[in-house]
């Protein structure tokens, strides 16, 4: 049916300072809601009808001359660009980096010269293996890629939330990624390493064992991006104005403290809210709670490098913070969400080769390979060497070069000279090189035969894996054992399971036995053949534990409060006040999203209906139904799950006076443990919120029979 044409009067638009009829060009017109923009084609031609294509006759064919139709469909057909082969699912935000002090003595990098001066930043967090539409809570490494728009060019620190990597040579990258992603014949499983190909590769590749320990730890199921660390992984160089080089490892330390979820919770969050991590970052920034990380530098010289137990060029190794303490030199704050996901998060093009004067590479073979791969991949994804002009990728400092033309050349050099050297003077000659200001590589001496070789110094594959394991609390060790058991139980080929346990025997016998028992292996396999015996003299590094590096407050966390009609209003208000003081959030969960009538007759609007806001999406919960409401909740499976899951996931539970029968019905004895905290008068709210600072009541774990701990 043809759309009724609005009266001619309403089609008037402002065009410059004239008012002309729509259809004669122009940008805005008046509607009831005020002045709005007139829809145009990409060529700027105003569109009269965006509901019906051009037809010949009432029920006739569509005319090919309908340029608006053809342009619209043509553009739509080309909306997608190739997703990243790895790190396809990501989420970005803008912010800034601010140094605490001048680091001029160790680097000439411009962003580290002037204390408190802000350098704009864009950060993209990601998972590695899953495709763009996969769930946020996959057990996976998280990317932590930072683009810093310095006054001497863009510096991309393309890191992860784990400080080591699977492989020592970039040549192996396609193999490890092929093995991790969906198996090629069947196209599944999506976003998980719990399958044969992955563990087949890892078990045949002992250099991956340290990383295997890290990925089976809770590091790969972070509570959200805000609560995880970031690492540059490789050793880099900082170079000062005199040309002196200092080795450096980069760390991002979350001011919010570290926090992960438990595995059973991760599985359920993926169902309840597959966007849990991106929503968390978005909500935090939009509410003004800007996440912040401190940049920590581990600085060391050649003497340390030569005396260190492992090769500083080996990306499967860390340098424990206890050996080289972190120097905290500045802060990264994320304070602005993207305006458009595609334009920014999708089109941002990180390249490890993007470094600036004062920072330099080392010979880490993984880093050397990455320096090729990233530029190459951006051309494939973005389709033109001019991707550097996209606003999210363009430097924010002046830039001048002779690169020209190509697809989508939005800006070409002006003037006659497009080559160098040239004899044109002044502006006509274009930019010139600058030996003083320009980037100069650190003149490291290199020599040797050209061979395909892996240095002897990279050969110890187990000692640091053991050190990592022994640096964990008992609870975290149990989680590692449980994760190996879970993943290897999904492996169908028994030989692969056994081969992996053979590696674990070189890490820690207790761990290997737990996994072997968990898998039901009839007998313990032989330890894998080791190129170097496992060292047992490496000291534990408490910095590697998440639990030992948690937050000091409940700030930025979320409580889900389950209420019904008749909720005690003073109690609810008391809890809200206590949470406000802590700068934590309260979300109301109720049988209907419209809300409930409180004890004083006031109306409380809910944030979520119970099945839309299960307890897995909260850090702690409070149960404040009225006595009558409890009867209703006891009949609802979602309400029982809300309670049972909160308990099983070791959450603190604030218990209102009436909630006893609901707890019982959910299988939780009312006096089960000290993680259940009375919330029967407004003054008890403060004690409850204080308890929540510990995030979990870990003591409960051994009592709960869920697949959290290895049996
Ligand atoms: Fe990457 N990696 N990578 N990687 N990587 C990519 O670049 C690659 C490695 C990391 O949010 C790709 O733009 C090779 C280590 C992050 O856009 C690709 C090797 C670390 C991101 C690529 C590695 C990373 C990527 C895919 C082995 C931690 C996401 C799309 C030598 C220090 C960046 C893209 C974003 C993305 C190659 C290993 C981190 C294909 C060859 C080690 C955070 O170029």
């Amino acid at each position: 049916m043809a759309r009724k044409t609005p009266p001619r009067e309403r089609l008037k638009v402002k065009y410059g300072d004239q008012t002309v009829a729509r259809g004669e060009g122009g940008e805005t017109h008046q509607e009831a809601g005020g002045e709005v923009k007139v829809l145009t084609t990409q060529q700027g031609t105003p569109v009269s009808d965006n509901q019906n294509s051009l037809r010949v006759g009432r029920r006739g064919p569509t005319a090919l001359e309908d340029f608006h139709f053809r342009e619209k469909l043509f553009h739509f057909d080309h909306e997608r660009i190739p997703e990243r082969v790895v790190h396809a699912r990501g989420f970005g935000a803008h912010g800034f980096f601010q140094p605490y002090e001048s680091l001029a003595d160790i680097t000439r990098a411009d962003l580290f010269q002037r204390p408190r001066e802000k350098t704009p930043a864009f950060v993209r967090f990601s998972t590695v293996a899953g495709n763009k539409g996969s769930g946020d809570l996959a057990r996976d490494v998280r990317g932590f890629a930072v683009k810093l728009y310095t006054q001497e060019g863009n510096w991309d620190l393309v890191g992860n939330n784990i400080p080591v990597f699977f492989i020592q040579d970039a040549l192996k990258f396609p193999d490890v990624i092929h093995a991790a992603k969906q198996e090629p014949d069947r196209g599944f499983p999506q976003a998980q390493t719990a399958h044969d190909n992955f563990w087949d590769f890892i078990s045949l590749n002992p250099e991956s064992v340290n990383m295997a320990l890290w990925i089976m730890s809770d590091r790969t199921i972070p509570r959200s991006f805000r609560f995880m660390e970031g690492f540059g992984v490789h050793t880099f160089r900082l170079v000062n104005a005199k040309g002196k080089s200092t080795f450096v490892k980069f760390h991002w330390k979350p001011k919010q403290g570290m926090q992960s979820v438990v595995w059973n919770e991760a599985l359920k969050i993926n169902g309840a809210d597959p966007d849990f991590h991106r929503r968390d970052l978005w909500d935090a920034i939009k509410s003004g709670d800007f996440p912040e990380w401190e940049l920590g530098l581990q600085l060391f010289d050649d003497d340390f490098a030569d005396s260190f137990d492992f090769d500083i060029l080996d990306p499967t190794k860390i340098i424990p913070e206890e050996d080289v303490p972190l120097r905290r030199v500045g802060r990264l704050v994320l304070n602005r969400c993207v305006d458009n996901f595609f334009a920014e998060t999708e089109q941002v093009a990180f390249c490890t080769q993007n470094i600036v004067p004062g920072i330099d590479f080392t010979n880490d073979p993984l880093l050397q390979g990455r320096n090729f791969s990233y530029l190459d991949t951006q051309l494939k994804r973005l389709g033109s060497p001019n991707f550097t002009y996209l606003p999210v990728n363009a430097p924010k400092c002046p830039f001048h070069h002779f690169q020209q033309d190509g697809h989508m050349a939005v800006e070409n050099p002006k003037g006659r000279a497009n080559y160098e050297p040239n004899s044109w003077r002044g502006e006509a000659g274009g930019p010139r090189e600058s030996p003083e200001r320009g980037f100069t590589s650190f003149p490291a001496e290199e020599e040797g035969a050209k061979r395909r070789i892996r240095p002897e110094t990279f050969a110890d594959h187990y000692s640091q894996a053991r050190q990592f394991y022994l640096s964990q609390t008992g609870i975290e060790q149990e989680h590692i054992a449980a994760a190996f058991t879970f993943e290897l139980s999904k492996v169908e080929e028994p030989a692969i399971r056994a081969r992996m346990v053979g590696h674990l025997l070189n890490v820690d016998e207790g761990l290997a036995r737990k996994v072997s028992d968990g898998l039901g292996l009839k007998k313990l396999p032989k330890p894998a053949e080791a190129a170097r015996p496992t060292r047992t003299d490496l000291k534990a590094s408490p910095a590697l534990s998440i639990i030992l590096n948690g937050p000091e407050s409940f700030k930025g966390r979320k409580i889900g409060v389950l209420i019904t009609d008749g909720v005690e209003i003073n109690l609810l208000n008391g809890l809200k006040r206590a949470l406000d003081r802590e700068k934590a959030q309260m979300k109301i969960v109720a049988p209907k999203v419209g809300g409930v009538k409180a004890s004083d007759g006031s109306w409380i609007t809910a944030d979520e209906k119970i099945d839309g806001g299960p307890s897995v999406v909260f850090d702690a919960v409070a149960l404040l139904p009225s006595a009558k409401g409890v009867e209703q909740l006891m009949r609802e499976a979602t309400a029982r799950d809300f309670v049972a899951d909160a308990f099983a996931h070791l959450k603190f539970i604030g218990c209102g006076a009436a909630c006893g029968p609901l707890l019982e019905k959910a299988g939780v004895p009312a006096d089960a443990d000290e993680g259940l905290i009375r919330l029967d008068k407004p003054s008890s709210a403060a004690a409850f919120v204080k308890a929540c600072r510990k995030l979990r009541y870990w003591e409960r774990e051994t009592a709960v029979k869920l697949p959290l701990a290895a049996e």
Side-chain angles (χ1 to χ4, degrees):
M1 203 180 78
R3 188 170 159 236
K4 203 174 151 217
T5 313
R8 189 86 187 148
E9 245 342 270
R10 287 185 58 221
L11 291 177
K12 297 280 184 187
V13 295
K14 277 203 191 132
Y15 188 64
D17 47 10
Q18 290 175 304
T19 301
V20 294
R22 188 162 92 166
E24 292 166 36
E27 284 192 326
T28 58
H29 75 144
Q30 294 291 332
E31 273 196 353
E35 205 171 74
V36 296
K37 293 197 171 77
V38 168
L39 181 73
T40 71
T41 66
Q42 285 174 268
Q43 305 297 332
T45 306
V47 171
S48 61
D49 183 343
N50 195 31
Q51 320 304 318
N52 304 290
S53 48
L54 187 65
R55 301 272 172 76
V56 182
R58 273 192 168 277
R59 301 173 64 230
T62 306
L64 202 55
E65 72 175 59
D66 185 348
F67 57 87
H68 170 54
F69 165 80
R70 276 187 292 119
E71 181 196 79
K72 189 171 170 184
L73 271 283
F74 149 78
H75 201 281
F76 172 76
D77 292 345
H78 297 268
E79 273 179 9
R80 290 291 171 274
I81 60 173
E83 68 173 39
R84 291 162 173 83
V85 180
V86 281
H87 298 267
R89 182 164 179 87
F91 201 65
H94 297 270
F96 62 84
F97 173 76
Q98 195 176 33
Y100 298 145
E101 53 184 324
S102 167
L103 297 182
D105 54 333
I106 42 174
T107 175
R108 60 173 277 210
D110 191 74
L111 80 164
F112 293 125
Q113 302 307 301
R114 296 165 296 280
R116 291 181 298 283
E117 191 176 286
K118 291 181 181 171
T119 296
F122 185 79
V123 178
R124 184 175 179 274
F125 301 106
S126 48
T127 51
V128 177
N131 295 338
K132 243 180 90 175
S134 54
D136 276 353
L137 264 288
R139 177 181 286 286
D140 201 353
V141 185
R142 297 300 184 287
F144 194 128
V146 184
K147 191 180 278 292
L148 292 148
Y149 306 90
T150 89
Q151 289 177 33
E152 285 199 328
N154 289 352
W155 173 35
D156 293 357
L157 184 57
V158 195
N160 278 344
N161 77 331
I162 286 183
V164 291
F165 202 63
F166 293 100
I167 47 169
Q168 294 172 326
D169 190 316
L171 184 66
K172 300 303 298 166
F173 191 65
D175 297 300
V176 65
I177 297 305
H178 286 176
K181 292 193 75 132
Q182 304 104 296
E183 299 193 1
D185 51 356
R186 59 210 70 187
F188 59 83
Q190 167 69 231
Q192 47 185 304
T193 50
H195 61 109
D196 285 62
N197 279 5
F198 179 73
W199 289 105
D200 188 31
F201 177 84
I202 298 295
S203 63
L204 293 171
N205 205 56
E207 73 206 55
S208 303
V209 170
N210 192 15
M211 182 71 166
L213 266 284
W214 280 84
I215 60 170
M216 291 300 104
S217 80
D218 295 343
R219 297 261 172 174
T220 44
I221 39 172
R223 155 67 170 78
S224 95
F225 304 131
R226 293 187 292 147
F227 307 111
M228 62 186 204
E229 295 184 327
F231 303 91
V233 176
H234 316 282
T235 300
F236 290 85
R237 289 177 187 278
L238 292 179
V239 184
N240 71 12
K242 294 194 184 116
K244 183 173 175 292
S245 152
T246 309
F247 289 123
V248 60
K249 285 216 180 242
F250 296 106
H251 298 241
W252 296 109
K253 291 280 186 187
K255 278 270 187 79
Q256 299 76 226
M258 275 200 277
Q259 184 183 346
S260 285
V261 298
V262 293
W263 178 233
N264 182 268
E265 196 182 8
L267 292 172
K268 290 177 176 167
I269 295 173
N270 257 346
D273 185 5
D275 304 306
F276 189 64
H277 283 168
R278 52 177 64 185
R279 191 188 308 281
D280 174 87
L281 188 65
W282 176 272
D283 286 350
I285 295 176
K286 287 283 179 192
S287 73
D289 181 11
F290 302 140
E292 198 171 319
W293 286 260
E294 279 189 308
L295 178 63
L297 306 183
Q298 277 184 303
L299 298 163
F300 54 97
D301 58 14
D302 288 280
D303 287 347
F304 174 85
D306 295 341
S307 66
F308 183 55
D309 295 322
F310 302 94
D311 196 323
I312 59 135
L313 299 182
D314 176 355
T316 66
K317 305 295 185 306
I318 58 160
I319 301 176
E321 286 180 35
E322 290 76 9
D323 292 357
V324 179
L326 248 52
R327 177 162 159 193
R328 298 186 184 232
V329 299
R331 63 187 197 126
L332 171 72
V333 179
L334 297 183
N335 60 4
R336 184 161 62 86
C337 291
V338 294
D339 289 326
N340 182 275
F341 179 86
F342 182 85
E344 295 155 81
T345 304
E346 196 59 11
Q347 292 198 120
V348 65
F350 292 95
C351 293
T352 55
Q353 63 173 38
N354 290 354
I355 52 169
V356 291
I359 302 174
D360 208 346
F361 310 115
T362 60
N363 291 344
D364 176 337
L366 210 58
L367 177 58
Q368 299 274 319
R370 293 178 75 197
N371 287 342
F372 160 73
S373 184
Y374 287 71
L375 185 61
D376 189 41
T377 214
Q378 305 314 350
L379 181 61
K380 171 75 184 169
R381 282 197 323 114
L382 297 160
S384 157
N386 291 314
F387 70 83
T388 56
Y389 290 100
L390 294 170
V392 71
N393 294 324
K396 297 194 193 299
C397 64
F399 55 97
H400 314 279
H401 50 75
F402 293 112
Q403 269 80 275
Q404 66 170 30
D405 302 356
H407 286 292
M408 311 296 160
V410 285
E411 221 177 277
N412 263 356
K414 292 200 175 76
R416 186 166 184 183
N418 56 358
Y419 59 95
E420 211 270 339
N422 64 58
S423 58
W424 306 108
R425 294 277 159 245
E427 266 194 31
R432 305 286 187 203
E433 66 200 17
S434 163
E436 301 77 37
R437 282 194 53 204
F439 179 91
T440 35
S441 295
F442 178 73
E445 301 278 343
E446 310 292 351
E447 62 173 308
K450 198 196 294 176
R451 275 185 287 172
R452 293 188 179 273
I453 199 167
R454 192 75 61 94
E456 283 292 300
T457 47
F458 282 31
D460 178 342
H461 302 316
Y462 300 109
S463 303
Q464 280 210 350
R466 178 181 174 79
Q467 181 182 35
F468 176 74
Y469 184 68
L470 297 181
S471 302
Q472 306 300 308
T473 59
I475 293 157
E476 289 166 306
Q477 289 184 345
E478 291 298 326
H479 290 185
I480 292 173
F484 270 113
T485 308
F486 177 91
E487 296 253 325
L488 293 174
S489 297
K490 293 272 183 188
V491 168
E492 290 164 11
E493 173 54 55
I496 299 175
R497 296 182 202 145
R499 209 188 302 141
M500 206 52 226
V501 175
H503 288 293
L504 297 183
L505 276 164
N506 291 340
V507 176
D508 180 78
E509 193 182 323
L511 169 64
R513 282 189 182 280
K514 272 185 195 150
V515 176
S516 174
D517 286 354
L519 290 171
L521 296 195
K522 292 209 184 74
K523 67 178 184 23
L524 213 54
K526 284 207 186 81
E529 221 171 279
R532 291 278 176 284
T534 311
R535 291 178 53 168
T536 53
D537 59 332
L538 301 181
K539 283 207 201 82
S541 164
L544 302 182
S545 154
I546 296 175
I547 292 184
L548 297 180
N549 295 283
E552 275 145 29
S553 84
F554 199 58
K555 180 171 184 281
R557 271 69 177 180
K558 231 186 238 177
I559 279 204
V561 189
L562 182 57
I563 61 172
T564 60
D565 281 335
V567 55
E568 181 51 57
I569 190 72
N570 293 333
L571 200 52
L572 193 63
N573 288 340
L575 181 58
K576 176 84 175 84
R577 280 195 300 275
L579 288 167
D580 284 348
R581 277 197 297 276
E582 189 80 359
K583 299 203 168 66
Q585 286 181 37
M586 179 163 108
K587 294 284 170 193
I588 299 290
V589 182
K592 290 182 186 165
V593 76
V596 301
K597 201 177 204 183
S599 57
D600 65 345
S602 63
W603 191 257
I604 312 282
T605 310
D607 297 295
E608 296 284 1
K609 182 173 177 302
I610 306 175
D611 53 2
S615 61
V616 290
V617 302
F618 304 113
D619 296 287
V621 298
L623 310 175
L624 302 182
S626 63
K628 200 153 160 240
V630 159
E631 284 166 33
Q632 179 197 352
L633 293 184
M634 281 163 63
R635 288 192 297 272
E636 291 207 23
T638 50
R640 296 197 301 269
D641 284 352
F642 188 94
V643 178
D645 275 346
F647 185 73
H649 301 146
L650 322 169
K651 286 177 183 163
F652 286 96
I653 303 178
C655 302
C659 76
L662 177 62
L663 287 169
E664 294 283 345
K665 188 83 185 169
V668 180
D671 56 352
D673 59 43
E674 287 169 13
L676 303 185
I677 294 169
R678 265 169 183 260
L679 204 52
D680 46 6
K681 47 184 188 299
S683 58
S684 48
F688 171 59
V689 173
K690 193 169 165 210
C692 290
R693 289 177 186 166
K694 276 175 60 194
L695 302 178
R696 308 257 169 188
Y697 185 69
W698 291 112
E699 294 84 339
R700 192 184 295 149
E701 181 154 289
T702 41
V704 181
K705 292 282 173 238
L706 256 192
L708 297 172
E711 296 294 315

